[in-house]
Coordinates of all heavy atoms in Angstrom, one line a residue:
R1043 N 110.5 -26.5 110.6 CA 111.8 -26.9 110.1 C 112.8 -25.9 110.5 O 112.6 -24.7 110.5 CB 111.8 -27.1 108.6 CG 113.1 -27.5 108.0 CD 113.0 -27.6 106.5 NE 114.3 -27.8 105.8 CZ 115.1 -26.9 105.5 NH1 114.8 -25.6 105.8 NH2 116.3 -27.2 105.0
S1044 N 114.0 -26.4 110.9 CA 115.1 -25.5 111.1 C 116.4 -26.2 110.8 O 116.5 -27.4 110.8 CB 115.2 -25.1 112.6 OG 115.5 -26.1 113.4
S1045 N 117.4 -25.4 110.4 CA 118.8 -26.0 110.1 C 119.8 -25.0 110.6 O 119.6 -23.8 110.8 CB 118.9 -26.3 108.6 OG 118.8 -25.1 107.9
I1046 N 121.0 -25.5 110.8 CA 122.1 -24.7 111.2 C 123.1 -24.5 110.1 O 123.6 -25.5 109.5 CB 122.9 -25.4 112.4 CG1 121.9 -25.5 113.6 CG2 124.1 -24.6 112.8 CD1 122.5 -26.3 114.8
D1047 N 123.4 -23.2 109.8 CA 124.5 -22.9 108.8 C 125.5 -22.0 109.5 O 125.4 -20.8 109.6 CB 123.8 -22.1 107.6 CG 124.8 -21.9 106.5 OD1 126.0 -22.1 106.7 OD2 124.4 -21.6 105.4
S1048 N 126.6 -22.7 110.0 CA 127.6 -22.0 110.8 C 128.3 -20.9 109.9 O 128.8 -20.0 110.5 CB 128.6 -23.0 111.3 OG 128.0 -23.9 112.2
S1049 N 128.3 -21.1 108.6 CA 129.0 -20.2 107.8 C 128.4 -18.8 107.9 O 129.1 -17.8 107.8 CB 129.1 -20.7 106.3 OG 127.8 -20.7 105.8
V1050 N 127.1 -18.7 108.0 CA 126.4 -17.5 108.1 C 126.7 -16.8 109.4 O 127.0 -15.6 109.5 CB 124.9 -17.7 108.0 CG1 124.1 -16.3 108.3 CG2 124.5 -18.2 106.6
L1051 N 126.7 -17.6 110.5 CA 127.1 -17.0 111.8 C 128.5 -16.5 111.8 O 128.8 -15.4 112.3 CB 126.9 -18.1 112.9 CG 127.4 -17.8 114.3 CD1 126.7 -16.6 114.9 CD2 127.3 -19.0 115.2
L1052 N 129.4 -17.3 111.3 CA 130.8 -16.9 111.3 C 131.1 -15.6 110.5 O 131.8 -14.7 110.9 CB 131.7 -18.0 110.8 CG 131.9 -19.2 111.7 CD1 132.4 -20.5 111.0 CD2 132.9 -18.9 112.9
N1053 N 130.4 -15.5 109.4 CA 130.5 -14.3 108.5 C 130.0 -13.1 109.2 O 130.6 -12.0 109.2 CB 129.8 -14.6 107.2 CG 130.1 -13.5 106.2 OD1 131.3 -13.2 105.9 ND2 129.1 -12.8 105.7
N1054 N 128.8 -13.3 109.9 CA 128.2 -12.1 110.6 C 129.1 -11.7 111.8 O 129.2 -10.5 112.1 CB 126.8 -12.5 111.0 CG 125.8 -12.5 109.9 OD1 126.1 -12.0 108.8 ND2 124.7 -13.2 110.1
V1055 N 129.7 -12.7 112.4 CA 130.6 -12.3 113.6 C 131.8 -11.5 113.1 O 132.2 -10.5 113.7 CB 131.1 -13.6 114.3 CG1 132.2 -13.3 115.2 CG2 129.9 -14.3 115.0
R1056 N 132.4 -11.9 111.9 CA 133.5 -11.2 111.4 C 133.1 -9.8 111.0 O 133.9 -8.8 111.2 CB 134.1 -12.0 110.2 CG 134.9 -13.2 110.6 CD 135.6 -13.8 109.4 NE 134.8 -14.4 108.5 CZ 134.5 -15.7 108.5 NH1 135.0 -16.5 109.5 NH2 133.7 -16.3 107.6
R1057 N 131.9 -9.6 110.5 CA 131.4 -8.3 110.1 C 131.3 -7.4 111.3 O 131.7 -6.2 111.3 CB 130.0 -8.4 109.4 CG 129.5 -7.1 108.9 CD 128.2 -7.2 108.2 NE 128.2 -8.1 107.1 CZ 127.6 -9.2 107.0 NH1 126.8 -9.7 108.0 NH2 127.6 -9.9 105.9
E1058 N 130.8 -8.0 112.4 CA 130.7 -7.2 113.7 C 132.1 -6.9 114.2 O 132.3 -5.7 114.7 CB 129.9 -8.0 114.7 CG 129.8 -7.3 116.1 CD 129.1 -6.0 116.1 OE1 128.5 -5.6 115.0 OE2 129.1 -5.3 117.1
V1059 N 133.0 -7.8 114.1 CA 134.4 -7.5 114.6 C 135.0 -6.3 113.8 O 135.7 -5.5 114.3 CB 135.3 -8.8 114.5 CG1 136.7 -8.4 114.6 CG2 134.8 -9.8 115.5
D1060 N 134.7 -6.3 112.5 CA 135.2 -5.2 111.6 C 134.6 -3.9 112.1 O 135.3 -2.9 112.1 CB 134.8 -5.5 110.1 CG 135.6 -6.6 109.5 OD1 136.6 -7.0 110.1 OD2 135.1 -7.2 108.5
R1061 N 133.4 -3.9 112.4 CA 132.7 -2.7 112.9 C 133.4 -2.2 114.2 O 133.7 -1.0 114.4 CB 131.2 -2.9 113.1 CG 130.5 -1.6 113.5 CD 129.0 -2.0 114.0 NE 129.0 -2.6 115.2 CZ 129.0 -2.0 116.4 NH1 129.2 -0.7 116.5 NH2 129.0 -2.7 117.5
L1062 N 133.6 -3.1 115.1 CA 134.2 -2.8 116.4 C 135.7 -2.3 116.2 O 136.1 -1.4 116.9 CB 134.2 -4.0 117.3 CG 132.8 -4.4 117.8 CD1 132.9 -5.7 118.6 CD2 132.2 -3.3 118.7
N1063 N 136.4 -2.9 115.3 CA 137.7 -2.4 115.0 C 137.7 -0.9 114.5 O 138.5 -0.1 115.0 CB 138.3 -3.3 113.9 CG 139.6 -2.7 113.3 OD1 139.6 -2.4 112.1 ND2 140.6 -2.5 114.1
R1064 N 136.8 -0.6 113.6 CA 136.7 0.8 113.2 C 136.3 1.7 114.3 O 136.8 2.8 114.5 CB 135.7 0.9 112.0 CG 136.1 0.2 110.8 CD 135.2 0.5 109.6 NE 133.8 0.1 109.8 CZ 133.3 -1.1 109.5 NH1 134.1 -2.0 108.9 NH2 132.1 -1.4 109.7
L1065 N 135.4 1.2 115.2 CA 134.9 2.0 116.3 C 136.0 2.4 117.3 O 136.2 3.5 117.7 CB 133.8 1.3 117.1 CG 133.3 2.0 118.3 CD1 132.6 3.3 118.0 CD2 132.3 1.0 119.0
H1066 N 136.9 1.4 117.6 CA 138.0 1.6 118.5 C 139.0 2.6 117.9 O 139.6 3.4 118.6 CB 138.7 0.3 118.8 CG 138.0 -0.5 119.9 ND1 137.9 0.0 121.2 CD2 137.2 -1.6 119.8 CE1 137.2 -0.9 121.9 NE2 136.8 -1.8 121.1
V1067 N 139.2 2.5 116.6 CA 140.1 3.5 115.9 C 139.5 4.9 116.1 O 140.2 5.9 116.4 CB 140.3 3.2 114.4 CG1 141.0 4.3 113.7 CG2 141.1 1.9 114.3
E1068 N 138.2 5.0 115.8 CA 137.5 6.3 115.9 C 137.6 6.9 117.4 O 137.9 8.1 117.6 CB 136.1 6.2 115.5 CG 135.9 6.0 114.0 CD 134.4 5.6 113.7 OE1 133.6 5.6 114.6 OE2 134.2 5.3 112.5
L1069 N 137.5 6.0 118.4 CA 137.5 6.4 119.8 C 138.9 6.9 120.2 O 139.0 7.9 120.9 CB 137.1 5.3 120.7 CG 135.6 4.9 120.6 CD1 135.3 3.7 121.4 CD2 134.7 6.1 121.1
L1070 N 139.9 6.3 119.6 CA 141.3 6.8 119.9 C 141.5 8.1 119.2 O 142.1 9.0 119.9 CB 142.3 5.8 119.3 CG 142.6 4.5 120.1 CD1 143.5 3.6 119.3 CD2 143.1 4.7 121.5
E1071 N 141.0 8.3 118.0 CA 141.2 9.6 117.3 C 140.5 10.7 118.1 O 141.0 11.8 118.3 CB 140.7 9.5 115.9 CG 141.6 8.6 115.1 CD 141.1 8.3 113.7 OE1 139.8 8.5 113.5 OE2 141.8 7.8 112.8
K1072 N 139.2 10.4 118.6 CA 138.5 11.4 119.3 C 139.2 11.7 120.6 O 139.0 12.9 121.1 CB 137.1 10.9 119.6 CG 136.2 10.9 118.3 CD 134.8 10.3 118.6 CE 133.9 10.3 117.4 NZ 132.6 9.7 117.7
S1073 N 139.9 10.8 121.2 CA 140.6 11.0 122.5 C 141.9 11.8 122.3 O 142.5 12.2 123.3 CB 140.9 9.7 123.1 OG 139.7 8.9 123.4
G1074 N 142.3 12.0 121.0 CA 143.5 12.7 120.8 C 144.8 11.8 120.8 O 145.9 12.3 120.9
V1075 N 144.6 10.5 120.8 CA 145.7 9.5 120.8 C 146.2 9.3 119.4 O 145.4 9.1 118.5 CB 145.3 8.2 121.4 CG1 146.4 7.2 121.3 CG2 144.8 8.4 122.9
E1076 N 147.5 9.5 119.1 CA 148.0 9.2 117.8 C 148.2 7.8 117.6 O 148.9 7.1 118.4 CB 149.3 10.0 117.6 CG 149.9 9.9 116.2 CD 151.1 10.8 116.0 OE1 151.2 11.8 116.7 OE2 151.9 10.4 115.1
I1077 N 147.7 7.2 116.5 CA 147.9 5.8 116.2 C 149.0 5.7 115.2 O 149.0 6.3 114.1 CB 146.6 5.2 115.5 CG1 145.4 5.5 116.5 CG2 146.8 3.7 115.3 CD1 144.1 5.1 115.8

């Protein structure tokens, strides 16, 4: 048996986007760029 729950996928995608947003902020700071 299998079923599709798009809400789980969408929520996990948003969580990963949040992580990448934080990562890009950190990379700018490490590069010495003022945000």
Side-chain angles (χ1 to χ4, degrees):
R1043 178 183 174 275
S1044 66
S1045 62
I1046 297 173
D1047 187 344
S1048 296
S1049 66
V1050 175
L1051 172 60
L1052 287 162
N1053 189 57
N1054 288 340
V1055 168
R1056 286 190 287 269
R1057 185 181 298 114
E1058 175 64 6
V1059 166
D1060 291 343
R1061 184 189 72 82
L1062 292 173
N1063 166 243
R1064 293 191 297 271
L1065 177 62
H1066 281 288
V1067 170
E1068 291 170 5
L1069 290 173
L1070 284 176
E1071 291 172 344
K1072 288 179 181 177
S1073 299
V1075 176
E1076 183 172 335
I1077 305 170

